[in-house]
Amino acid sequence: MSDRYDVIVAGAGFTGLSAASALRDAGLSFCLLEARNRVGGRVEAERNALGELIDTGGQFFCEDMPVVSELAHRYRKSVVEAPVAGRSLVRPPLGTEDAAGDEYWRAVAAIRERLRSTDPDDSSVRDRTVAEWSADLPDPEYAREGFRGLVQGLWCRSADEIPAWHLIECERRITNEEQELQFFLRETMHSLADDIGRDLGDRLRLSMPVSMVRHSDDGVEIEAGTATLRARRLILALPPSRAAKLDFSPALPARLRSALGGWRPGNVIKIFLRFETAFWRDRGLNGTVSWRHPAGLYVCDASHDDRHPGMVMFAGGPLSEEWAQGAEDAIRQRAISALVDVFGEEAASPLDVTVRNWVGDRWSGGAYNDVLLDMEAHDAESVLLDGHGAVIFASSELSPSFPGYIEGAIVAGRNAAREVVGSLARAPGI
Ligand SMILES: Cc1cc2nc3c(=O)[nH]c(=O)nc-3n(C[C@H](O)[C@H](O)[C@H](O)COP(=O)(O)OP(=O)(O)OC[C@H]3O[C@@H](n4cnc5c(N)ncnc54)[C@H](O)[C@@H]3O)c2cc1C
């Protein structure tokens, strides 16, 4: 196999897979190098003790996410609608009745909307974290606290750390009106990544971690495992915090180093629980519980069918770091006991509990995504998107739509490929 290509793509998550597919369609020579022994990155699947394949990473999408919906259709996946009929709960409850949950969510959503509609350059948000911004709001304390918990659950970092302007810039690109956990794929989202990877044939090379990038305006020479490979362009389809770990020769300019250095991975633990019966539905509940305390804990119904009702739980941000101190069995027990507190003894004996701890994951750093925590790094995204000579940065975090989502990864990958195809067409010698 040749070791010289038009393009090398590093990272076979949805960003890298989408970039590689677009390069193939454009007729360029390329290879896609992946550090792990599988594709998908932050989208992965595992078989549980019942023999079912379940998504242990990214899973859900909704009808307002057109590109992932179209890909699922193209690869003939079966789309399952997550069950939502019934009441949601908030714990500890507000007041005596769970109907207060609706009021709670309205109040939290109103704060989120207010943040989205604030100009990121406005003095009320400039130089302030999300927690600092929310502290001054006239809303009741339960609503402000609920909002901070929502931010922690969605971005897997504390609201005390996230610059308010960065959250505004991300949230404005997340434009779904349907709830984002609307659909999942019966065959798993990971099977979609696998199918795309299979279509790339031997241009996909697994267990090839890129470690060193020698670069100039004309091309790159990279080291991956024991191989040295050359190309006219390199797409680094990695979360920014992972791209920051590579050795570059010559060193990247200070502006780029600081743009890469401001990102930190979120942290989350995803827990899948299967039960004999959907006991929550018998009580008019939809299985969704948002915890006010501990912040960052959330569960919802993710049943594939009535045969194996199931719930998926997320412990996000500082809570995941606390839970991750214990062994996997201790995490399992914490998850069950949180459910028993809400639903009683029927939740005590799940058929299976599968735990995927993403805290400090070797090749992702964490999950769901990297978050920009440098308060001063207003131009970090645009600096990364400008790239440097032959090196192009791409990942879901940098997407113009749905940053931090699978949808965003596909868009980011296709955009990076389009940029490379354009720049090679303009370059001399083509
Ligand atoms: C538990 C969990 C739940 C989530 N839930 C959802 C959800 O329901 N819906 C949704 O839309 N999104 C969800 N997400 C987020 C979504 O999965 C990610 O935003 C998206 O998959 C990121 O894709 P990516 O290709 O940009 O990055 P990644 O998937 O991280 O891909 C980067 C790839 O680069 C590889 N790599 C790293 N370093 C190197 C190196 N040095 N050399 C070569 N390869 C390297 C990694 O192994 C990885 O395969 C979830 C994520 C997690 C973890």
Side-chain angles (χ1 to χ4, degrees), residues 11 13-15 34-36 41-42 58-60 210 363 367 369 396 404 406:
F14 266 92
T15 299
E34 166 55 44
R36 304 184 210 241
R42 285 171 276 178
Q59 174 178 6
F60 296 94
V210 174
W363 296 112
N369 296 289
S396 182
I406 298 160

Side-chain angles (χ1 to χ4, degrees), residues 10-16 33-36 38 40-43 56-61 65 181 208-211 237-239 242 246 268 270 314 358 363-364 367-369 395-397 404-407 409:
F14 266 92
T15 299
L33 305 175
E34 166 55 44
R36 304 184 210 241
R38 61 162 180 84
R42 285 171 276 178
V43 172
T56 46
Q59 174 178 6
F60 296 94
F61 64 105
M65 300 177 178
L181 307 184
M208 293 275 281
V210 174
S211 50
L238 316 173
R242 298 308 93 184
L246 303 180
V268 73
K270 182 173 182 180
F314 300 95
W358 285 88
W363 296 112
S364 311
Y368 310 116
N369 296 289
S395 72
S396 182
E397 285 83 351
Y405 290 76
I406 298 160
E407 175 85 5

Side-chain angles (χ1 to χ4, degrees), residues 53-257:
L53 208 51
I54 51 174
D55 276 306
T56 46
Q59 174 178 6
F60 296 94
F61 64 105
C62 70
E63 65 190 39
D64 300 325
M65 300 177 178
V67 297
V68 65
S69 303
E70 188 275 323
L71 263 186
H73 180 74
R74 197 193 308 167
Y75 280 90
R76 300 178 184 283
K77 299 295 171 191
S78 344
V79 175
V80 180
E81 189 152 6
V84 288
R87 283 181 301 123
S88 307
L89 301 178
V90 174
R91 285 293 179 270
L94 276 179
T96 49
E97 230 330 285
D98 286 325
D102 290 344
E103 183 190 322
Y104 171 82
W105 277 118
R106 261 195 301 277
V108 171
I111 298 183
R112 188 179 186 189
E113 205 37 58
R114 213 169 316 147
L115 183 72
R116 274 186 181 185
S117 57
T118 304
D119 181 340
D121 289 326
D122 191 87
S123 58
S124 66
V125 289
R126 225 180 153 81
D127 306 323
R128 302 180 94 185
T129 64
V130 172
E132 285 165 346
W133 171 80
S134 68
D136 286 351
L137 299 177
D139 306 68
E141 175 50 23
Y142 74 80
R144 286 180 283 142
E145 178 194 66
F147 170 70
R148 292 192 294 272
L150 176 77
V151 169
Q152 180 174 324
L154 289 176
W155 296 94
C156 298
R157 300 288 313 197
S158 164
D160 291 323
E161 305 173 287
I162 306 175
W165 57 263
H166 176 54
L167 193 66
I168 295 170
E169 288 176 359
C170 290
E171 288 263 335
R172 285 182 169 192
R173 289 179 271 164
I174 299 167
T175 49
N176 56 304
E177 289 179 5
E178 269 302 332
Q179 60 109 2
E180 61 187 61
L181 307 184
Q182 184 183 18
F183 299 135
F184 57 93
L185 301 181
R186 187 180 305 283
E187 300 85 352
T188 71
M189 185 59 80
H190 184 253
S191 75
L192 183 57
D194 252 347
D195 289 355
I196 300 169
R198 202 167 300 119
D199 281 354
L200 297 170
D202 63 7
R203 288 174 284 198
L204 166 66
R205 297 168 72 178
L206 300 176
S207 305
M208 293 275 281
V210 174
S211 50
M212 159 63 92
V213 177
R214 290 183 206 90
H215 58 100
S216 69
D217 284 349
D218 301 328
V220 293
E221 180 181 90
I222 64 140
E223 284 173 19
T226 55
T228 302
L229 305 156
R230 289 171 199 84
R232 300 172 71 202
R233 296 287 182 275
L234 169 66
I235 298 178
L236 286 175
L238 316 173
S241 69
R242 298 308 93 184
K245 294 211 168 294
L246 303 180
D247 280 333
F248 290 89
S249 174
L252 292 174
R255 227 164 102 76
L256 249 173
R257 287 204 307 274

